[in-house]
Amino acid sequence: MAKKKNELLEWIKALIIAVLLAAVIRYFFFAPIVVDGHSMMPTLHTQDRMIVNKFSYKIGEPKRFDIVVFHATVDKDYIKRVIGLPGDRVEYKEDTLYINGEAFEEPYLEEYKDQLIDGPLTEPFDLESIIGQDTVPEGHIFVMGDNRRQSKDSRHIGTVPIEEVMGKTSFVYWPISDIRFEK
C-alpha cells in the first residue's frame, strides 16, 4: 500500500513539474500564434499556425525584414514585417522601398507585384506624411504587411514601440502540408 502511495506521489510531482515547465517555456520563450487575416499574403495565409520566439528580442534589437508579432491593442496582436529601424528614413516611390535613400528589393512581394494590373502594390508615401517625422523614432520600428493593399500597419497605426514586440516568428507548423520557415 505504501509503495502504491509513493508511486502516485511521484507521478503527481512529475506532472506538476511538466506543467510548470510548459508554462514557463510558453510565457517566456515560445508561444503559438494563429495568423488572422490576409495582411501578410502571399507569405502567410489566414489560419497558418506559427511559433513566436519571444526570446529573440530579449537579447537583441529587431532586424530589418523580420516577421514580428506585437501588441497592437489591449486585446489584439498583429503580425507584420519590420521595414524601418530606429533612425531610418522610410519612403516608397514607384512601388520601390527606399531606406535612408537606398532602394531595397523585397523578393517576398514579387508574387503579388506580378499579378497586378491596376496600379502599384504599395502607394507612395514618406514618413513625414505618416508620423510627422522624417525618421523612425528611437525605441520604435516601422512595420508593414506583405499584402500592402489590405494591411493595417504603421501607415495607419504609426510606429510600434519595440517593447510591444512579443518576438520574431518564422516557423509555420500548421497545416502540416505547409510546414516551412519563412524569411
Side-chain angles (χ1 to χ4, degrees):
M1 183 77 163
K3 187 177 179 181
K4 282 191 177 207
K5 193 174 184 180
N6 244 358
E7 190 176 323
L8 181 61
L9 280 174
E10 289 302 315
W11 275 103
I12 290 172
K13 279 197 281 186
L15 186 59
I16 289 171
I17 289 170
V19 167
L20 288 174
L21 189 59
V24 166
I25 288 171
R26 182 181 170 130
Y27 187 78
F28 291 107
F29 299 108
F30 302 99
I33 188 167
V34 178
V35 176
D36 181 22
H38 302 283
S39 72
M40 285 298 292
M41 293 279 292
T43 307
L44 302 175
H45 303 96
T46 192
Q47 299 304 307
D48 277 354
R49 282 156 172 72
M50 304 182 76
I51 299 292
V52 177
N53 179 351
K54 293 181 173 187
F55 192 66
S56 59
Y57 291 139
K58 306 284 189 254
I59 58 174
E61 296 291 312
K63 293 179 179 43
R64 190 175 333 283
F65 305 126
D66 281 353
I67 298 174
V68 297
V69 177
F70 61 94
H71 302 299
T73 66
V74 174
D75 21 89
K76 187 84 170 150
D77 296 332
Y78 284 1
I79 183 167
K80 304 290 178 195
R81 190 177 297 275
V82 175
I83 300 297
L85 300 172
D88 282 347
R89 288 185 333 269
V90 178
E91 181 178 19
Y92 250 92
K93 293 187 290 193
E94 298 175 13
D95 224 4
T96 301
L97 170 64
Y98 291 88
I99 300 173
N100 301 323
E102 179 185 343
F104 277 77
E105 289 188 20
E106 297 178 284
Y108 47 86
L109 296 180
E110 291 306 316
E111 182 180 336
Y112 259 177
K113 284 183 178 183
D114 292 344
Q115 297 172 4
L116 291 177
I117 56 172
D118 62 343
L121 179 62
T122 308
E123 291 295 323
F125 72 86
D126 61 25
L127 276 183
E128 182 75 34
S129 64
I130 293 175
I131 64 169
Q133 295 179 246
D134 61 349
T135 61
V136 177
E138 284 303 314
H140 288 74
I141 55 175
F142 188 88
V143 298
M144 294 176 75
D146 290 355
N147 185 354
R148 301 293 165 78
R149 291 182 172 183
Q150 295 181 7
S151 177
K152 187 174 183 182
D153 51 38
S154 285
R155 295 171 294 170
H156 307 95
I157 64 171
T159 58
V160 176
I162 292 174
E163 67 261 9
E164 293 298 324
V165 176
M166 291 172 49
K168 176 182 174 180
T169 185
S170 60
F171 180 64
V172 176
Y173 69 88
W174 191 265
I176 290 177
S177 60
D178 289 339
I179 290 176
R180 66 193 181 279
F181 281 96
E182 286 297 342
K183 295 182 180 175

